[in-house]
Amino acid sequence: MPEGRHDIIIDVPIDQVWDFVKDMDNWAPLLPGYISHEKLSEKQSKWAFKETVGVLKKKISLQVTIREWIEPTRVTFDLKGINENLTGKGYFNAEALGQNRTKMTGYLEMTADGALAPVMNAVMKSSLPKSGQELTTAIAQKLEERKAIR
């Protein structure tokens, strides 16, 4: 199963991390290949992004369903493809390492089914770790920028 996990330590208090990640409008645009997102309800949204599959660029649309919000440490979610036969899940975790230091972990796993599954899964096996690292790093950079402004 294609998956990616990335840890990063930032010099930002966990409550500031939570204030940022509890609202997907803050971090959804940081997703690599981001096109758009739309909130359908408090726990559901649709996301669209571009993914490179071999030499092709595909627009992927996903329904994201939040399974749990555990303030201030964890958000878990399920993913379901809207225009592709994809399923997955993931989480964002924050762990206080002191008053002004937080370890953030982003995790994502996805699986493709159907005729193109072997190709899609092979592509995701290499792209998910990179995308997860890019998203987690982008969130960390935004949080550092916000801290500098305060």
Side-chain angles (χ1 to χ4, degrees), residues 25-81:
D25 289 338
N26 289 331
W27 53 273
L30 303 176
L31 182 72
Y34 175 83
I35 297 171
S36 65
H37 75 282
E38 173 189 359
K39 284 184 181 176
L40 303 174
S41 70
E42 186 64 31
K43 291 196 170 197
Q44 282 197 326
S45 60
K46 289 192 317 190
W47 295 21
F49 59 96
K50 286 182 190 161
E51 179 65 56
T52 302
V53 180
V55 295
L56 303 173
K57 287 198 184 292
K58 290 185 71 77
K59 178 182 175 184
I60 307 288
S61 295
L62 295 174
Q63 181 171 310
V64 180
T65 304
I66 302 295
R67 283 199 328 249
E68 60 184 355
W69 297 98
I70 303 173
E71 183 176 350
T73 59
R74 193 167 178 88
V75 178
T76 61
F77 54 88
D78 291 322
L79 305 166
K80 182 164 178 45

Side-chain angles (χ1 to χ4, degrees), residues 14-22 69-72 74-75:
I14 195 169
D15 61 321
Q16 288 179 25
V17 173
W18 180 257
D19 284 345
F20 185 82
V21 300
K22 72 180 181 184
W69 297 98
I70 303 173
E71 183 176 350
R74 193 167 178 88
V75 178

Side-chain angles (χ1 to χ4, degrees), residues 4-17:
R5 176 190 158 131
H6 186 68
D7 297 317
I8 192 165
I9 295 173
I10 59 172
D11 293 323
V12 175
I14 195 169
D15 61 321
Q16 288 179 25
V17 173

Side-chain angles (χ1 to χ4, degrees), residues 130-146:
K130 183 179 179 218
S131 295
Q133 179 178 357
E134 288 176 10
L135 178 60
T136 307
T137 301
I139 290 171
Q141 288 172 342
K142 280 288 184 197
L143 285 163
E144 293 280 0
E145 288 170 14
R146 284 179 160 210

